[in-house]
Amino acid sequence: MDYHLKPLGKSCSSTGKDFVPGEQVHSVIIEKNGQLVRMDFSEAAWTGPPEGSVGEWKLQVPEAVAAGPKKIDPDALMQYFEQLYETPNQVQEKFLYVLALFLVQKRRLKLEGSRSEDQTSYLQLSGTHGEGNFDIRDQDLEEAEIEALQQQLNTQFLEEWE
């Protein structure tokens, strides 16, 4: 059988006082209404396992882990890409190109080929989840410009998704 229990709580089940890193905590599993529930108690509030407990253990509250850089969901980026593709304008065309390159790198778009039309090159892409065919005009950007556009996109996405 698989059991799905919540991780260590942020506060004592008895007193409501927040746990601090390094503090000793007693955890128990009890059955309530046919469900297994985890409860966590501070050392000071621990009076022994509650009636009906199934299991118990003692642990130390871990140190807080520094949050790393936020990751952007490729599926959400794909939705944004499709929106930009549907309503292109000259300002967003460079963003669309950089976004397409990023999604190819993240394996959310795949490069099917390229074509030229009136001395303009196009990347031919398709989504890895069956999304249509996309022709993206090659912007012939310098590496520094690509990095600047990537930074602008990252900033925009993180502000929108926080």
Side-chain angles (χ1 to χ4, degrees):
M1 288 179 79
D2 286 336
Y3 297 103
H4 300 284
L5 302 170
K6 67 177 185 153
L8 174 65
K10 295 182 186 265
S11 61
C12 177
S13 295
S14 177
T15 65
K17 181 180 171 243
D18 286 348
F19 295 132
V20 294
E23 181 178 2
Q24 292 294 317
V25 175
H26 293 267
S27 294
V28 296
I29 303 296
I30 61 170
E31 187 175 344
K32 279 188 177 178
N33 302 324
Q35 298 286 330
L36 294 178
V37 178
R38 176 180 178 161
M39 298 177 75
D40 302 302
F41 298 91
S42 66
E43 188 76 39
W46 181 248
T47 58
E51 189 175 319
S53 65
V54 177
E56 65 177 278
W57 66 97
K58 188 175 181 178
L59 68 144
Q60 187 174 24
V61 176
E63 295 294 325
V65 178
K70 292 188 178 184
K71 298 198 180 199
I72 298 174
D73 177 30
D75 290 328
L77 282 177
M78 186 65 190
Q79 288 177 343
Y80 182 66
F81 171 82
E82 288 176 307
Q83 288 172 356
L84 280 179
Y85 188 78
E86 298 275 329
T87 57
N89 65 45
Q90 282 190 318
V91 174
Q92 294 176 332
E93 199 169 11
K94 288 182 180 182
F95 282 120
L96 186 64
Y97 177 74
V98 171
L99 188 53
L101 295 178
F102 181 77
L103 289 167
V104 167
Q105 181 183 23
K106 292 294 180 186
R107 296 190 172 116
R108 191 56 186 82
L109 281 176
K110 66 181 162 183
L111 181 62
E112 299 290 344
S114 63
R115 68 176 177 85
S116 292
E117 182 179 299
D118 299 327
Q119 297 182 345
T120 302
S121 296
Y122 292 87
L123 300 176
Q124 295 176 306
L125 306 163
S126 65
T128 56
H129 296 159
E131 296 89 356
N133 297 316
F134 305 101
D135 286 352
I136 306 297
R137 189 166 65 91
D138 187 343
Q139 298 295 308
D140 197 31
L141 302 174
E142 297 290 326
E143 187 70 30
E145 192 173 5
I146 290 174
E147 287 178 18
L149 288 167
Q150 281 178 327
Q151 191 60 40
Q152 285 178 332
L153 282 170
N154 285 340
T155 302
Q156 178 181 343
F157 291 130
L158 291 177
E159 285 174 0
E160 287 179 17
W161 294 341
E162 281 188 344

